[in-house]
Each structure stands twice: as structure tokens, then as C-alpha cells.
Amino acid sequence: MAIQDVRTWLSWIAVVPCALWAAVRLSGFEPDWPWVPVVAFTPYATVATVVAGLLACALRQRAPGTVALVAVLALVPAVLPRALTDGNPDAKGPGLRVLAANLLVGQADTEELMRLVDRLRPDVLALQEFTPAAMERLDEAGVRKVLPHAVTHPRLGVGGSAVYARYPLEAGKLIMKGAFGQATAWLKHPGGARIEVVSVHPCAPKRYGRQPCWQAGLEALPRGGDALRVLAGDFNATLDHLPMRDLLAAGYRDAADVMGKGFVATWPQNGSLVQSPGVTIDHVLADSRMAVRAFEVLSLRRTDHRPVFAELRLP
């Protein structure tokens, strides 16, 4: 085979997968497994597409280089804004501090979680994989002294969730899809606002056949636009998943994206038994009328997720 033919094949082998990735990601169509878990790695695919384009240019291959350029121009605008800060609406109401954590079947370090609560002083604490044992440990650690109001749905396994708050809560309807429960609660803020808070945790789409449960769990979340709402927790989805993009378009903003921290991975946390490149699947989604003043990705021992914290301002 001639050297020119080798260069052409190498270029196409590098470029074609990237071009196909870009086409599916931007198509408005989301195939089932394995695409649903794989699309979470779109930021890495974008970097790979740039590298493939540079390779094609270095090998002086015009056609694959052009295809790579088109793919880059398609993917970069979809992912780059996550590293850039956004403006905020003119929200002049009181603040609302939100902390969310996945407890890994209730195993997360309770003492360290309480230290986060003491340091960050959240008004709302949303917990996922919330078990009866975890609830007992939190009660013993004094969580109700700091956050006296709670709507709790503890379950054995991964399906439990809870909302703790500094202010009065009224229980909302539990969102139940498969074995996964997503607690909802209406918070009465002392500033007068009434805010719905959801502890988010749909099924994980990690194997074939789980997409319907995962998609239904995301689609069951309340849309924005009427009452003020905050959705916080383990979405098992990144901003590259179609149901997540639909949710944002329905009246929310992602706090990490607003603050230019949308590439900070939340799973798997260092020390997890799961070996995977990091992805951003834990979020705080705020009503689009709220301002986002701060966002942090934190650490918590004995769980595979990193907690997330957002400081919001109500309209």
C-alpha cells in the first residue's frame, strides 16, 4: 500500500468516529444503550475530534480534515459554554443555599457530611441513596438541630431520598419510577417565597434496558415556569443528554454551567471502586428567574459521588 493511501486511511479512521459522534449528539435523537451512558463523555470526544482534525492536517488530507473541522465546529459550541460564566437575572430576593449528596446506599461518612453542613450552612440538603441506617446516623449526629424540617423516604438499596431544610417544609408527591424514589417538598422561605425542592435520582442507564426507567425519571421532574423550583441531586445525566437539555429548556439553569464550572466532574469520586473518566452528573438546577451566586463541587468519603453546593438568590 502506498504511503499516501496509508495517510488517507489513518485520517479517516481517526475522523469518522468523531464525525458520527457529532452527528448523533446534535441530531435530536438519542439511541438506547450504549449511547446513553457513552454520550456523557462528549467533552472528551470534542478534544478527540480536535486531535483527529490536527492529525488529518498534519497528514495533508483535505477531505477528512474538512469533515473533522465541521465536527469541531458542531461540538465546540455545545460544550465550551460550560467553562464560561453566564449573566444572571435581576434577582433581588433573599438567598437560598442548596447542598446535594448521593450517599452510596447510605454508606457516606456521616460526620464529614455534617461538617459540610456546618461549614456551608445550607438552607436545603437533598440526599439520594438514602437508607434507614443513614437516616438514623444523621439523626444521631444532630442533623435535625441544624435542619429541623424534613421530608424523608428512606429505602433499602439505592432508591431512597430526602429533603432536609432550615425552614418549614410541606411534603410533595413522591416521584417513583422503578425502584428509584425522588422526594419532593415545598419550602416556605421566611422571605415569603414558596419553593418546590426535588431530590433528584432517576435510574442509572448503565446497562441495556434501563433507558426507559432513566428517561421516565427525568421526564417526571416538574417543568419550570410557574412556581419557583430547585432540582438538586444525582441526575445520572450530563448536559449532553437529551432529556437533560429538554429539562433546562423548560425553565431551569444549571448552577455549574452558570458559574463556568460545568466541566468539573462529580462522578466517580477519587477512591471509588468505579474506574471511569470523570463526568458531571450531579447538578443543582435553579429556576431561570433565580440568580446563581456561587457553586462548588465538594468531597465526601465513602461515596462514589462528589456533593454539589449552590448559592442562589430568589427573584
Side-chain angles (χ1 to χ4, degrees), residues 19-64:
L20 290 174
W21 191 302
V24 177
R25 164 62 179 80
L26 299 175
S27 68
F29 169 68
E30 195 153 72
D32 202 336
W33 192 92
W35 176 253
V36 170
V38 165
V39 73
F41 301 99
T42 293
Y44 299 99
T46 303
V47 174
T49 304
V50 173
V51 172
L54 293 174
L55 174 64
C57 291
L59 295 176
R60 299 180 181 179
Q61 299 299 304
R62 181 174 297 179

Side-chain angles (χ1 to χ4, degrees), residues 130-170:
F130 180 74
T131 63
M135 183 171 71
E136 183 177 349
R137 291 198 306 273
L138 281 166
D139 286 343
E140 292 174 352
V143 69
R144 300 299 286 269
K145 295 178 182 178
V146 185
L147 301 168
H149 307 280
V151 173
T152 59
H153 297 281
R155 295 172 64 91
L156 296 176
V158 299
S161 65
V163 176
Y164 288 86
R166 193 174 304 277
Y167 310 124
L169 291 177
E170 175 187 337

Side-chain angles (χ1 to χ4, degrees), residues 170-171 186-189 192-196 227-229 314:
E170 175 187 337
W186 289 92
L187 180 141
K188 185 178 180 181
H189 197 281
R194 189 168 183 262
I195 307 148
E196 186 177 23
L228 292 175
R229 292 185 173 91
L314 306 180

Side-chain angles (χ1 to χ4, degrees), residues 210-240:
R210 290 295 290 277
Q211 185 186 3
C213 175
W214 166 80
Q215 186 169 343
L218 290 171
E219 291 178 347
L221 295 171
R223 309 291 105 167
D226 47 7
L228 292 175
R229 292 185 173 91
V230 174
L231 315 181
D234 172 13
F235 286 69
N236 276 315
T238 72
L239 301 189
D240 293 298

Side-chain angles (χ1 to χ4, degrees), residues 244-314:
M244 191 70 170
R245 303 201 309 269
D246 289 343
L247 190 60
L248 288 167
Y252 295 100
R253 296 197 304 160
D254 179 75
D257 183 42
V258 172
M259 298 305 296
K261 298 181 179 180
F263 289 139
V264 181
T266 66
W267 179 90
Q269 184 170 217
N270 292 337
S272 166
L273 295 177
V274 181
Q275 298 300 317
S276 168
V279 291
T280 307
I281 60 175
D282 300 84
H283 307 269
V284 176
L285 300 193
D287 183 285
S288 58
R289 294 164 289 183
M290 297 180 186
V292 180
R293 298 302 186 191
F295 179 82
E296 289 185 62
V297 177
L298 308 158
S299 296
L300 179 62
R301 288 192 298 269
R302 298 204 294 272
T303 177
D304 55 343
H305 287 256
R306 299 179 70 184
V308 292
F309 170 78
E311 183 179 347
L312 312 174
R313 186 165 296 280
L314 306 180

